[in-house]
Amino acid sequence: MILSWRTGGLLLGLVFLAAVALVKPIGVSTQFVILDGIVWNSVEKSAVVKSEKNKSGYASPNAYLNKSGGAYAKNVAQPANYGLLFVLAMIGGAGLSAILRGGVSRPERTMPAIWRANYGDSPWKRYAIAFASGFVVLYGARLASGCTSGHMMSGMMQTAVSGFIFAAGAFAAGIPVALLMFPKDAR
Amino acid sequence: MTTIILAIVIGAAFGFVLDRVGATNPGYIISMLRLGNLHLMKTILLAIGVSSILMFAGLLTGLISPAHLSVKTAYVGVFIGGALLGIGFAAAGYCPGTSLSAAATGRKDALVFSIGGLFGAGAYMLTYSHVKAIGLLDSVLGGKATLGKIAGTKYPALFDFSGEWVGIAMGIVFIAIAFALPASLRNAAQTGKNTGKQPGDAPTAAIHG
């Protein structure tokens, strides 16, 4: 059983507070780039190299990894840092929670009930849309320099103007798409 | 070393709570965006409100260091990127954090979404120079700006008020909206049905606060 919005909202708020009180605001989507960089660097050694010129001490031929003094390049070269460990721990925490509540039912593991009500049982149709959505979501999150965690929650809690702009864009697009794509409720 | 322990503890708590509020269930996210079940909307608004009020209270009392804040730059690409994220968020019911968390709960569509995400992030790496060249990343509204001036930070303020008190006021407004929002903005007959599925699985299960 999921938590009521009151208990859940309070706990989620305390986690965001703990993060900013003890370290820094929560963010997730950067780690998709770091993981891409790690994969690239493992097949091509020139992806990230040591550099005297960059502030971080690392450089990359890729302009994105090389930006801000090679900050991402450094995280690729030294992945045992806060950002990546945070995301790995998040994955572990969610997995632990799921085990303790008895896991997710078999039909739900392929698609949520509301998808089934609108598009039927085919897992491949669901996976195709999930893959395309993941692509668009992470492209968008990197274009925005943050996602639901970093911009919407961490951003708005700090009264960041960018957080409000991001939330406006996300809901302005997300609500019409959801209304159009899911006319039927889950049965 | 301390940072590593904090990463593990805070990260695990975040993933655990994301799962417990239903955010790892794409049904709840889709239902929120189609305005059928606002459980997650109320949860998120309350969470932002609570964290904001306590954070700004912590800044005012000196319990939280302003150096821990990290405000991102505002630019046109933030809106476009937010809109792109919104499209996939609605179509799949996942965002970057919840897809990874949901994959860990055994959801295979979440794993597929996350792999798509790795390709999307890779595509951004490859196109970054062009995106920057056309000016989508140029600062607007003061760049790394906050609503009011927050003491101890260099962030410019959009309005000439105390940033701490603006933050506390905003937090109160967010909590008020969380309480004021109904459970659903759609016809109750469509959303209140007992689906007979196991609790927590059914995105339309009635949520009683």
Side-chain angles (χ1 to χ4, degrees):
Chain A
M1 190 60 194
I2 63 160
L3 296 170
S4 73
W5 68 269
R6 289 193 186 116
T7 313
L10 183 62
L11 286 175
L12 194 57
L14 292 176
V15 172
F16 274 85
L17 176 73
V20 80
L22 299 170
V23 193
K24 62 177 181 177
I26 285 177
V28 175
S29 65
T30 305
Q31 302 313 315
F32 280 80
V33 173
I34 303 305
L35 192 53
D36 279 339
I38 291 171
V39 172
W40 181 28
N41 198 32
S42 68
V43 293
E44 202 175 340
K45 279 295 155 210
S46 59
V48 168
V49 291
K50 283 207 160 91
S51 159
E52 298 283 306
K53 276 191 291 179
N54 271 353
K55 203 174 83 181
S56 71
Y58 290 90
S60 172
N62 179 266
Y64 194 53
L65 293 183
N66 202 44
K67 82 179 179 91
S68 310
Y72 289 163
K74 183 185 176 186
N75 288 343
V76 169
Q78 302 177 352
N81 59 62
Y82 181 83
L84 189 60
L85 290 174
F86 175 89
V87 165
L88 293 175
M90 173 193 78
I91 294 170
L96 178 67
S97 164
I99 290 168
L100 295 177
R101 70 181 165 88
V104 174
S105 69
R106 186 168 282 279
E108 275 283 312
R109 277 181 236 161
T110 1
M111 63 189 86
I114 194 163
W115 178 277
R116 207 168 256 118
N118 286 278
Y119 297 103
D121 274 325
S122 161
W124 297 108
K125 210 191 272 182
R126 170 64 179 163
Y127 294 159
I129 295 295
F131 184 90
S133 298
F135 187 98
V136 171
V137 164
L138 263 302
Y139 191 91
R142 289 335 299 159
L143 171 57
S145 299
C147 61
T148 329
S149 307
H151 262 309
M152 205 182 286
M153 300 225 26
S154 300
M156 289 205 289
M157 79 176 270
Q158 299 175 89
T159 71
V161 173
S162 52
F164 292 97
I165 295 174
F166 179 86
F171 285 103
I175 292 174
V177 169
L179 290 172
L180 286 171
M181 276 189 70
F182 300 98
K184 290 186 213 153
D185 202 349
R187 277 161 306 194
Chain B
M1 192 59 206
T2 324
T3 326
I4 288 175
I5 294 168
L6 287 172
I8 292 167
V9 172
I10 303 171
F14 182 49
F16 198 95
V17 175
L18 275 182
D19 184 59
R20 290 301 160 113
V21 301
T24 57
N25 182 340
Y28 280 112
I29 289 179
I30 292 168
S31 296
M32 166 183 81
L33 291 172
R34 69 193 283 283
L35 312 175
N37 180 344
L38 301 185
H39 161 76
L40 270 183
M41 179 51 76
K42 290 161 81 79
T43 305
I44 294 167
L45 285 167
L46 178 63
I48 298 175
V50 165
S51 57
S52 197
I53 291 172
L54 294 176
M55 185 194 82
F56 283 109
L59 289 172
L60 283 175
T61 53
L63 290 171
I64 294 177
S65 162
H68 286 192
L69 268 61
S70 175
V71 171
K72 295 176 193 281
T73 313
Y75 50 86
V76 174
V78 173
F79 185 83
I80 301 171
L84 287 173
L85 179 136
I87 293 168
F89 193 38
Y94 292 120
C95 60
T98 66
S99 70
L100 293 171
S101 300
T105 73
R107 290 183 183 270
K108 286 177 271 185
D109 54 348
L111 184 63
V112 175
F113 179 100
S114 304
I115 295 167
L118 287 172
F119 281 90
Y124 187 71
M125 281 169 65
L126 298 175
T127 53
Y128 167 76
S129 302
H130 304 285
V131 171
K132 193 173 159 75
I134 56 174
L136 283 182
L137 309 183
D138 298 347
S139 294
V140 295
L141 296 170
K144 296 189 175 200
T146 50
L147 294 184
K149 182 68 199 152
I150 302 171
T153 69
K154 285 181 181 162
Y155 302 126
L158 204 58
F159 303 106
D160 190 18
F161 296 124
S162 149
E164 291 85 350
W165 288 103
V166 168
I168 290 172
M170 182 204 74
I172 293 170
V173 170
F174 272 44
I175 293 175
I177 298 172
F179 274 89
L181 273 180
S184 171
L185 288 170
R186 291 175 86 106
N187 182 345
Q190 278 185 301
T191 54
K193 274 188 298 191
N194 183 352
T195 61
K197 291 191 180 68
Q198 119 188 29
D201 266 1
T204 50
I207 309 302
H208 299 289

